[in-house]
Amino acid sequence: VLGGAFAFARSMRVQPQSSVKVEARQAYSFPSWVPLVGSPAPATEYPSTEYPVEDNWPAPSLEQGIVGSSAGSEYAERVTEVSMQIVPATTSTPGLKMPVIPPPPRCSWANEDCHETRCCANYNCDNLFEKCGGFTCYKQDNCDGGFAGCKQGPPGDWVGTVLGGPIQPREIPPAPADTVAQGTSLFCFSVVMWNMAPSQGWQNSEAELARNWQSKGLGIFHCDEHMIVDGMPPPRSGWGSTANIDVFIQYWNKVRDDGRYKQHDWVVKVDTDAVFFPNRLKMHLQSLRPPKGSRVFLKNNAYKFQFLGALEILTKEAADLYFENVDRCSSGEGGHTGGEDWYMKACLMGIGVDFQTDFTLLRDKYAAQNGCGDGWAAAFHFFKKVDSWNYCHQEALNAQAAHDQQWNNAHPQ
C-alpha cells in the first residue's frame, strides 16, 4: 500500500470532463486512502495542451512516507535490500537543498576479476522466477596476481575462498521536505512492429494498435516528449522461443542516440498494447519524490520479479548509467538471460542503480489483474485488440471520474 498523504495541486473542484484547464494552483493534502490499491486518485486526465506542469507545483508532503505494495505490510516483510539515506546538502533555491547522491557501488560481472571490488553484479533466477540470487566472488588460486571470479557456486578445481557476495540493491527514501526532488518531465517511447502480423488471428497487429492511440493523441503522446521506435524481428533462440534481449538493447541504444531523453527527468518505455496515462504517472512520481539526480528505477508490480516490461520507468540519471555500462551488462556468465524486462532489471541492479517501489503503477493480466476500473493505475496491460484497448481506456477514465465526483462531494467549496 502506498501510505500517507501527499500534496497535489488543484485549481478547482475536479470535473469529470477531460478539458478542464488548470489556472490557479493550491496545495491540498489527500486523506490516507489515497492512493490505496484500486482507489483512483482524485484527478482527471487532462489533454496534453492543458494539463498542469507538475514541476512547478508545491512540494508534496510525505509525513508518513511510502511503502508501496499491493500486498500491504507483506511487502515490508519481504524486502531485504539495503535502504539508503539521502543527506541534503548544497542549497539550490531559498528554503530547498540539493541532495547529495552517493556514487553507485561498482561490482564485478562474471567475466571480470573481483579481487578489488569483492562483490558481484550478476543475478540469476530459475525459470519461474521463484528462486533468485546473486553470484559470489571466489578465489581461483592462491598465486600472486591470481584470478578471482563471480560464480553461482565454487568451481570444483578452484581454491574457492570467498572474497565477497552479491551487490546489495538500495531502496531510495523520499526526499526530505526541505530537499529538491526529481521533477516529473517524461520522455516516453514505444517500439512498434509496423510490418509484423499478429501472433494469433483474433488479435490486431501492433501497427493497428499503435495507429489507434497515435491517431487520438493518447498514451505516450501525453508525455512531455515521445519517440516511436521502429521494431525489428528478433532472432529465434535455440529452443524455439523468441529471444528479445538483443533487439531491445538496440532499441534502448536508439533512445541514447536520439538524445532527447536528457532534457527530461524520467525515461519511460511503454508497450504498444498497454493503455497508458502519463498524467497519472506524474502523480505517482510526485508521491514517490526521489531526491533530484537519483539513479532510480521503479518496481512497478508485485508479480514475479516486480519489474514488468509493459511499463519500464527510470530516471534519466539511471539511463545515463545504463548506457555507460550496456556492454558490461550483456557479457559474461548469467549476464544475458531471461526476457527483456528481467535482463533490464538485472542490469540496473548490477551496475548500482537504486530503486523505489510502487506496485500500484501497473495492472497487468500476467499478474491476474484483469479489468481497468482503477482510476489510479498509470497503465493497464495487455490489450491485443483495438476495441478492447479503447474499452479499457474508457473504463479507466470512468473509474477516475466517478472517484473525482466522490471527492468533490466530500469536499464542497
Side-chain angles (χ1 to χ4, degrees):
V1 176
L2 283 171
F6 63 95
F8 176 65
R10 299 168 66 88
S11 64
M12 58 190 77
R13 296 174 69 231
V14 173
Q15 304 297 323
Q17 294 83 4
S18 62
S19 59
V20 178
K21 183 181 285 290
V22 173
E23 296 176 357
R25 296 187 175 101
Q26 184 176 1
Y28 286 84
S29 290
F30 285 169
S32 60
W33 50 258
V34 177
L36 297 177
V37 175
S39 297
T44 192
E45 180 73 6
Y46 296 96
S48 58
T49 57
E50 296 184 321
Y51 65 77
V53 180
E54 290 88 336
D55 291 340
N56 297 325
W57 293 0
S61 170
L62 285 163
E63 298 172 356
Q64 299 178 355
I66 293 175
V67 176
S69 171
S70 62
S73 61
E74 176 186 353
Y75 171 66
E77 298 171 0
R78 291 172 56 194
V79 170
T80 58
E81 292 89 346
V82 177
S83 296
M84 186 177 75
Q85 298 298 319
I86 300 297
V87 181
T90 311
T91 300
S92 58
T93 57
L96 291 178
K97 301 174 184 178
M98 287 296 294
V100 174
I101 308 299
R106 184 176 178 86
C107 294
S108 301
W109 293 91
N111 61 326
E112 300 171 342
D113 193 297
C114 57
H115 264 115
E116 293 187 6
T117 64
R118 293 179 179 258
C119 67
C120 296
N122 295 76
Y123 271 87
N124 262 1
C125 292
D126 62 9
N127 291 336
L128 298 177
F129 294 98
E130 294 176 347
K131 296 180 180 180
C132 300
F135 284 25
T136 300
C137 178
Y138 296 103
K139 288 184 67 175
Q140 183 181 33
D141 52 56
N142 289 320
C143 301
D144 291 339
F147 182 77
C150 292
K151 302 289 183 181
Q152 289 183 287
D157 56 347
W158 285 28
V159 171
T161 304
V162 175
L163 300 182
I167 191 171
Q168 295 298 309
R170 304 179 298 196
E171 180 149 28
I172 293 286
D178 65 348
T179 302
V180 179
Q182 189 83 352
T184 61
S185 178
L186 305 177
F187 180 82
C188 306
F189 74 98
S190 291
V191 177
V192 181
M193 306 289 292
W194 294 106
N195 299 315
M196 180 173 285
S199 58
Q200 299 184 40
W202 60 269
Q203 299 174 351
N204 286 116
S205 66
E206 282 198 5
E208 291 169 319
L209 292 170
R211 291 190 182 104
N212 176 54
W213 45 255
Q214 183 181 35
S215 66
K216 299 173 181 177
L218 300 175
I220 64 172
F221 283 81
H222 276 202
C223 296
D224 298 275
E225 202 160 8
H226 67 271
M227 176 180 181
I228 296 179
V229 178
D230 293 339
M232 62 189 78
R236 292 281 175 175
S237 67
W239 54 89
S241 62
T242 300
N244 62 353
I245 294 175
D246 290 318
V247 292
F248 269 90
I249 290 174
Q250 295 182 54
Y251 298 149
W252 277 96
N253 287 346
K254 290 180 182 292
V255 172
R256 175 199 62 195
D257 296 342
D258 176 84
R260 287 179 291 162
Y261 81 93
K262 289 181 173 289
Q263 307 304 316
H264 303 280
D265 300 303
W266 297 84
V267 184
V268 185
K269 182 187 79 68
V270 185
D271 278 3
T272 305
D273 57 355
V275 177
F276 174 48
F277 296 91
N279 297 339
R280 294 188 190 181
L281 173 55
K282 291 195 174 194
M283 289 187 284
H284 284 259
L285 298 176
Q286 284 185 307
S287 177
L288 288 168
R289 196 172 157 77
K292 185 173 180 62
S294 301
R295 294 169 293 270
V296 171
F297 72 91
L298 301 185
K299 293 185 177 181
N300 58 21
N301 192 291
Y303 183 69
K304 296 294 185 181
F305 51 89
Q306 304 173 353
F307 186 74
L308 301 188
L311 185 70
E312 297 179 7
I313 306 165
L314 53 156
T315 61
K316 70 173 178 181
E317 291 81 5
D320 286 337
L321 188 62
Y322 164 74
F323 292 135
E324 292 170 9
N325 289 276
V326 60
D327 291 336
R328 296 180 68 228
C329 284
S330 61
S331 65
E333 176 190 348
H336 207 109
T337 59
E340 170 271 331
D341 43 8
W342 165 250
Y343 164 79
M344 178 59 76
K345 182 191 175 184
C347 173
L348 295 175
M349 290 193 305
I351 62 177
V353 175
D354 303 311
F355 71 93
Q356 288 188 309
T357 304
D358 183 349
F359 290 157
T360 67
L361 280 165
L362 172 66
R363 290 184 61 84
D364 201 304
K365 292 180 182 178
Y366 287 125
Q369 296 168 329
N370 297 310
C372 303
D374 184 335
W376 176 242
F380 304 84
H381 182 253
F382 48 90
F383 297 91
K384 302 290 188 181
K385 287 187 66 68
V386 169
D387 288 346
S388 62
W389 193 101
N390 290 338
Y391 185 90
C392 173
H393 188 273
Q394 188 59 51
E395 183 182 11
L397 288 181
N398 291 344
Q400 186 174 320
H403 208 291
D404 290 348
Q405 188 61 53
Q406 179 184 354
W407 169 267
N408 289 331
N409 292 340
H411 302 81
Q413 287 185 332

